[in-house]
Amino acid sequence: MSTAYAEKSGFGATLWDYLTTVDHKKIAILYLIGGGFFFLLGGLEALIIRAQLLFPDNELIQAGTYNQIFTMHGTTMIFLAAMPLIFALMNAIVPLQIGARDVAFPFLNSLGFWLFLFGGVLLNCSWFLGGAPDAGWTAYAPLSTTAEGHGVDFYALGLQISGAGTLIAGINFLVTIVNMRAPGMTYMRMPLFTWTSFVTSVLILFAFPALTVGLFLMMFDRLFGANFFDPAMGGNHIIWEHLFWIFGHPEVYILVLPIFGLFSDIISTFSKKRLFGYSAMVFAVVLIGFLGFMVWAHHMFTTGLGPIANSIFAIATMAIAVPTGIKIFNWLFTMWGGSIHMTTAMLWAVAFIPSFTLGGFGGVMLAAAAADYQYHDTYFVVAHFHYVIVGGVVFGVFAGLHYWWPKMFGKVLNEKLGKWAFWPFFFGFHLTFFIQHFLGLMGMPRRYWKFQPDQGLELGNIVSSSGAVLMTIGAVIFLINVVYTSIKGEDAGADPWDGRTLEWAIPSPPPFYNFKQTPLIRGLDPLFIEKQQGNGKMTPAEPLGDIHMPNNSIVPFIMSFGLFVAGFGLIYQVDDATWLWAVGIGLAITLFSMLFRSVKDDLGYHIHKEDLEEEADAE
Ligand code: HEM
Ligand SMILES: [Cu+2]
């Protein structure tokens, strides 16, 4: 290991290092651990749902508990599992793909993570403090505004805090991709994963504020006696649905676009071909991002917006099938005639194409407004969105982890175990969710605690629940693979997959400064170009020189902790005004940390040229 900045070892030192780190690669690992933990929690909740729905008239859990579990399953999976897992991959890879030494604002990067984590912990504290939120992950008013207990308050405050973290992360990636690209890395030379992360960051920037506003209004209605969503007092509960879905629909593209990007990279790498239709792919991503904001009312066809609004939103929704189709054909054409290597990552990618496409078909069916009166709030909807979210996002996260694990940890995940995890998960997934389309068409409503015997729903539900068991087996094998690889995995080397993009040009795991010299980019797939036309190494764009690095800081952790304390205070001041002290103390902690950060100079440090040279000699 390098340089004079020798690191202390031992558990305490490692813990402190991670609490204070501003290195995008370590923050990626934090997101991976946090998101992975919540994914397991959300998965456990899903298993409880499927256990309750195994038999008709089942009394395994109480109706009220069921409401809490499906609400927390959905909320956890979307906000605390899928989002952070995607941020894990973006953090680990985007700076490397553009030839940057870190993100634009490393301090903010750390703040974004800790806000997400404390928000998620706050939300989950509700389990131990009188009950979790139970108004669905969509928290429609007036159900949410009149729900008893503090569950929904935890929802409003927890998501507000973690949402702030997401917004910060989105802005950070935007600035990073606009400003930090290496010389020669023009927009139209960026790998698709970077492109989609860029568009996703734009969507975050425009979508999350709608959620922020909605949650603030909800907080005022529930905690301070306001009536924004109460028609009896002159409010309007439909406004919540608009605010929620103006955020909520783009959110599904926020989740799936980076996945489109990583599949594009993976399919091109393992087909040993340049991505087919690169510029059409970029165009399609931007168009999907734009149209994603035009369709939110397809979630509200049955609220009585009227035939004109319904028709416009129906057509806009169906229009998204066009750029999505462009992408699907381009993936197929990339594979066409390629020399295909069926690694585990590629297996997930190939499985993703038909799975996600089926989800898209369901989506176009739901978009037919008149027909949606039949599908709405049935299991057909549950089937549809799990096809896109599991068949898209979860498959994508597995693919991305297999593909980039060597870059992140220096070891290749075991391929055999990887495939053993894939098959049960893949079959389990289709078993669980395909049949739900039919359960929905047969009239089984979504979010119901029980179904009745003799309605023909028994078999379908048993099939669905057994699929969930298979998926669990797949997930467990993946975890075993992680443990096995960390003990026995083979060393990856810099470029285990014969990669095409810049992240494969530096060692695995990369040194903490990433690139010793910023590379010069000569075209799309820059490393591939150097392998074809050069000596397989990137040409440096600058002479060897000192590298400026940011300092670690505990301040982001403390800032987020302050908001966590204030969140509790806000929730409980309704019962007892002394809790206002907690609000004051929490906000004081946060504001004081901000002041401290503003007035104290933190200029970072330099890695000296001589140390880098010494390291080069040692190599
Ligand atoms: C992996 C196995 C999974 C299983 C077996 C599963 C199962 C279920 C079931 C049965 C419901 C419906 C509850 C009801 O309406 O009565 C549900 C709802 C939901 N699931 Fe999943 N799910 C899984 C994964 C995921 C993932 C990965 C996500 C998102 C990233 C997700 C997001 C949601 C959402 C948003 C809801 C709606 C919750 C609500 O109605 O408020 N699920 N899930
Ligand atoms: Cu939508």
Side-chain angles (χ1 to χ4, degrees), residues 46 49 66 70 73-74 77 136-137 379 385-386 389 394 446-447:
I49 299 176
Y66 186 84
F70 78 68
H73 162 70
M77 282 299 197
W137 86 283
Y379 258 77
F385 69 70
H386 283 92
I389 264 174
V394 176
R446 171 184 180 189
R447 292 176 175 168

Side-chain angles (χ1 to χ4, degrees), residues 265-563:
D265 288 1
I266 288 173
I267 289 174
S268 147
T269 302
F270 293 117
S271 303
K272 303 256 168 263
K273 272 175 72 186
R274 183 190 155 120
L275 185 70
F276 187 92
Y278 172 86
S279 28
M281 289 299 240
V282 171
F283 170 76
V285 171
V286 175
L287 191 60
I288 292 173
F290 174 76
L291 287 176
F293 280 99
M294 304 290 146
V295 300
W296 78 90
H298 63 207
H299 298 276
M300 301 167 61
F301 285 146
T302 60
T303 49
L305 299 175
I308 297 189
N310 276 8
S311 312
I312 291 172
F313 279 99
I315 291 167
T317 304
M318 293 176 189
I320 298 189
V322 177
T324 313
I326 294 179
K327 300 192 74 69
I328 287 171
F329 281 111
N330 280 341
W331 288 317
L332 294 176
F333 287 138
T334 305
M335 287 193 278
W336 185 298
S339 145
I340 296 177
H341 290 234
M342 268 299 166
T343 57
T344 308
M346 185 65 172
L347 204 55
W348 285 107
V350 172
F352 149 82
I353 297 176
S355 307
F356 185 85
T357 306
L358 278 173
F361 285 163
V364 176
M365 288 173 72
L366 286 160
D372 184 58
Y373 276 75
Q374 297 302 314
Y375 313 132
H376 187 69
D377 259 342
T378 69
Y379 258 77
F380 190 89
V381 177
V382 178
H384 154 67
F385 69 70
H386 283 92
Y387 259 85
V388 286
I389 264 174
V390 181
V393 180
V394 176
F395 281 25
V397 169
F398 278 125
L401 287 177
H402 277 276
Y403 184 52
W404 283 315
W405 199 270
K407 190 50 59 185
M408 292 175 74
F409 298 102
K411 291 187 171 178
V412 188
L413 277 175
N414 184 279
E415 280 287 301
K416 195 173 263 169
L417 281 173
K419 286 173 184 166
W420 282 0
F422 167 83
W423 288 109
F425 198 95
F426 175 75
F427 278 116
F429 159 69
H430 284 284
L431 218 51
T432 307
F433 294 113
F434 193 70
I435 197 121
Q436 289 182 1
H437 292 105
F438 300 98
L439 288 172
L441 294 177
M442 287 158 76
M444 180 167 159
R446 171 184 180 189
R447 292 176 175 168
Y448 273 30
W449 164 53
K450 275 183 180 177
F451 58 95
Q452 294 308 309
D454 304 322
Q455 296 187 325
L457 302 174
E458 282 94 340
L459 181 66
N461 276 297
I462 289 187
V463 170
S464 184
S465 294
S466 17
V469 175
L470 274 182
M471 267 193 276
T472 311
I473 294 175
V476 169
I477 298 179
F478 176 79
L479 289 180
I480 293 175
N481 195 357
V482 169
V483 176
Y484 177 85
T485 302
S486 67
I487 301 169
K488 290 203 148 177
E490 344 165 2
D491 277 344
D495 183 16
W497 312 122
D498 188 15
R500 310 167 72 85
T501 42
L502 216 46
E503 72 268 32
W504 306 110
I506 52 175
S508 314
F512 61 104
Y513 47 80
N514 294 354
F515 294 88
K516 200 171 287 175
Q517 288 162 286
T518 305
L520 181 69
I521 312 303
R522 298 202 285 157
L524 182 65
D525 291 348
L527 184 60
F528 177 75
I529 292 181
E530 302 303 331
K531 285 177 182 172
Q532 292 293 304
Q533 301 169 9
N535 61 358
K537 293 212 169 92
M538 299 305 301
T539 316
E542 59 178 13
L544 193 64
D546 289 1
I547 297 177
H548 181 224
M549 297 296 293
N551 283 329
N552 284 3
S553 171
I554 190 67
V555 176
F557 181 90
I558 297 176
M559 260 184 210
S560 312
F561 176 72
L563 289 182

Side-chain angles (χ1 to χ4, degrees), residues 64-80:
T65 316
Y66 186 84
N67 290 351
Q68 296 174 23
I69 288 183
F70 78 68
T71 300
M72 285 300 278
H73 162 70
T75 312
T76 301
M77 282 299 197
I78 299 276
F79 292 99
L80 308 180

